[in-house]
Amino acid sequence: MRIRIAALLSTLLLVAPLTMAQQVLKLSTTTSTENSGLLKFMLPAFEQKSGLKVQVISVGTGKALELAKNGDVDVTLVHARPSEDKFVAEGHGVNRRDVMYNDFILVGPTSDPAGIKGMRDVHAALKKIVSSGARFISRGDNSGTDQMEKAYWNEIGAKPTGSAYVSAGLGMGEVLNMAAELQGYTLTDRATYVAYRAKTGLAIDVEGDRKMFNPYGIIAVNPARHKDANYKGAMQLIEWITSDAGQQRIADFRVEGQQLFFPSAGR
């Protein structure tokens, strides 16, 4: 009897870590979903429904996709559609779905040294920043925001130079703090800006341009590439976040009474 009990305990000790591992879903995502507080608002409802524990790795979109490509996570929630499409086309991810959207904005010090306050053309505003010699703080981290910013510079054929351009290599919240400290402009998603507005004192200068549309997508890691990926859990999250319940949860999220993300699944 003692031998059988000892054998049973040994088996349970071996199986328990595997069981616990199966209950964890690893999600790589952008700093905006974490910094804004969205994930803290949303994920408890999913975890309660699914029985899964979501482990969040919050980085820029480029790094989030790289983690997914390497099989270090099971699912990724990002906002850089060209990079997302490339990721799927190369076979790294499957079942991409639209989740939500918000917008990018140009923010800066209240003194507005480049005189761009109230403009609605992001290209024209960036040209004025360049010509004025005002300082611009860049994410510099291959995030979705950084990729959009670089696309804008390419489209206008100009970019700040020398000390006027600071490539931070940091997340959005940290870059907003740096822009406030250095009295410079930066491109940000609206959600993170609102979450950091009180501490930075930065003002919105440019908004409303259709070119500043910011969609988010969710993608499961391809289980054919990574056998250990928790594909079942990834699909549970994808199905939930694009369901009526998940989409309503996105719509209900507010910071200072302001809706920051707008559901887009099925549109």
Side-chain angles (χ1 to χ4, degrees):
M1 178 65 73
R2 289 179 179 176
I3 293 174
R4 286 202 298 269
I5 291 173
L8 177 60
L9 287 173
S10 297
T11 301
L12 289 174
L13 288 172
L14 288 172
V15 172
L18 294 176
T19 302
M20 290 177 64
Q22 290 168 354
Q23 297 304 309
V24 174
L25 179 67
K26 290 175 286 185
L27 167 69
S28 64
T29 187
T30 73
T31 58
S32 60
T33 59
E34 179 76 0
N35 290 344
S36 65
L38 175 69
L39 293 181
K40 290 180 182 178
F41 178 77
M42 291 195 65
L43 289 180
F46 169 73
E47 290 175 332
Q48 184 176 18
K49 179 180 175 63
S50 67
L52 294 165
K53 177 63 179 177
V54 182
Q55 178 184 333
V56 176
I57 303 172
S58 175
V59 289
T61 284
K63 179 62 175 177
L65 289 172
E66 190 68 22
L67 288 170
K69 177 181 177 180
N70 294 337
D72 295 323
V73 296
D74 307 303
V75 61
T76 186
L77 174 62
V78 290
H79 64 137
R81 187 58 189 265
S83 293
E84 294 169 46
D85 290 342
K86 183 173 183 287
F87 179 81
V88 173
E90 292 177 347
H92 304 300
V94 293
N95 297 324
R96 185 205 172 275
R97 308 272 182 86
D98 290 328
V99 174
M100 60 192 181
Y101 67 90
N102 62 8
D103 61 342
F104 290 112
I105 51 178
L106 269 177
V107 302
T110 55
S111 59
D112 188 22
I116 63 171
K117 180 73 174 178
M119 295 182 67
R120 296 181 66 85
D121 183 333
V122 65
H123 284 173
L126 289 172
K127 287 178 181 178
K128 287 194 73 173
I129 289 174
V130 173
S131 63
S132 71
R135 185 170 287 156
F136 188 95
I137 316 301
S138 170
R139 287 278 297 268
D141 62 351
N142 198 34
S143 61
T145 306
D146 185 56
Q147 291 179 39
M148 182 62 79
E149 177 215 318
K150 299 299 191 292
Y152 291 152
W153 299 130
N154 287 334
E155 287 160 5
I156 68 174
K159 175 182 166 181
T161 57
S163 61
Y165 189 79
V166 179
S167 182
L170 297 171
M172 195 70 255
E174 296 165 300
V175 167
L176 286 167
N177 287 333
M178 184 179 289
E181 181 180 347
L182 298 177
Q183 291 292 283
Y185 295 96
T186 193
L187 180 73
T188 176
D189 66 281
R190 188 182 296 271
T192 309
Y193 166 76
V194 171
Y196 279 72
R197 175 168 49 194
K199 67 175 71 173
T200 65
L202 295 171
I204 297 176
D205 290 313
V206 181
E207 60 183 335
D209 190 328
R210 291 174 64 88
K211 293 186 289 294
M212 302 174 89
F213 179 67
N214 183 29
Y216 289 73
I218 191 166
I219 314 169
V221 168
N222 188 349
R225 293 283 181 92
H226 300 283
K227 303 296 185 183
D228 294 332
N230 186 354
Y231 177 69
K232 180 180 178 181
M235 289 310 301
Q236 283 181 266
L237 178 59
I238 289 173
E239 294 295 343
W240 179 82
I241 205 170
T242 58
S243 70
D244 290 344
Q247 293 285 282
Q248 187 60 53
R249 195 80 176 155
I250 291 169
D252 289 343
F253 177 65
R254 299 285 194 281
V255 174
E256 298 180 0
Q258 182 176 347
Q259 183 175 350
L260 299 181
F261 296 94
F262 298 85
S264 64
R267 293 193 177 192

